[in-house]
Amino acid sequence: MVRNVSLNKASGLLQKGQLALLRRRAMRAGVWFRRLPKIDRVLVDLTIRITKCVRSVMLAKCLLSVVGKLEGLLESRFARRVREIGFSLACKYSMFGLKMGNSSSKSWAGDLDYARFLAVMKINGGPP
């Protein structure tokens, strides 16, 4: 999610408070020391200590990479399955509905509740 964000839009993510909040969430979840490499931890820690807001493009790219890793590690197993399985099935069914002439099926591809339903049905071995 963060990898696709442009640098101008990501400036809010790379402020001292946001990085500290992300570090605290990672520590509470137990992924800060176990799953994140030391160089990434040091980069975030030093950025929090030294800067208020990141202005360097190179530092911002490195931090966005670390933030992307952390968001992937903090995402729950169910949320990952909804993203991978549910939304892909929702897109597939949406396209099928459009081909069948149902114009309202266009909104199915982005519907979170529908994607959750499809993911649960797929995980539990149901029809989808």
Side-chain angles (χ1 to χ4, degrees), residues 1-126:
M1 182 173 108
V2 174
R3 294 177 200 122
N4 297 334
V5 176
S6 71
L7 194 56
N8 292 333
K9 293 179 183 176
S11 64
L13 296 172
L14 299 179
Q15 292 179 357
K16 183 178 186 173
Q18 296 295 335
L19 288 173
L21 180 69
L22 186 63
R23 179 180 64 179
R24 191 175 327 127
R25 281 183 53 215
M27 283 181 160
R28 286 182 180 166
V31 297
W32 181 257
F33 292 106
R34 279 191 234 156
R35 306 280 305 274
L36 196 64
K38 185 173 182 172
I39 189 74
D40 292 340
R41 293 192 311 259
V42 168
L43 179 68
V44 172
D45 285 337
L46 284 176
T47 304
I48 290 171
R49 284 184 193 174
I50 294 174
T51 66
K52 291 181 183 175
C53 184
V54 176
R55 291 181 289 181
S56 168
V57 175
M58 184 174 281
L59 178 61
K61 286 181 183 178
C62 294
L63 283 173
L64 283 177
S65 171
V66 174
V67 168
K69 287 180 195 177
L70 279 175
E71 284 185 347
L73 293 171
L74 291 172
E75 186 179 36
S76 71
R77 194 179 312 164
F78 179 71
R80 187 175 305 119
R81 287 186 178 173
V82 167
R83 183 175 39 85
E84 292 172 355
I85 297 170
F87 278 113
S88 65
L89 286 173
C91 287
K92 187 167 105 175
Y93 292 159
S94 173
M95 296 303 276
F96 183 70
L98 285 172
K99 286 181 184 177
M100 296 297 291
N102 185 357
S103 61
S104 66
S105 67
K106 194 185 318 181
S107 65
W108 297 351
D111 189 5
L112 178 63
D113 293 330
Y114 185 58
R116 283 182 187 154
F117 167 75
L118 291 174
V120 167
M121 292 298 289
K122 182 72 174 179
I123 290 168
N124 290 334

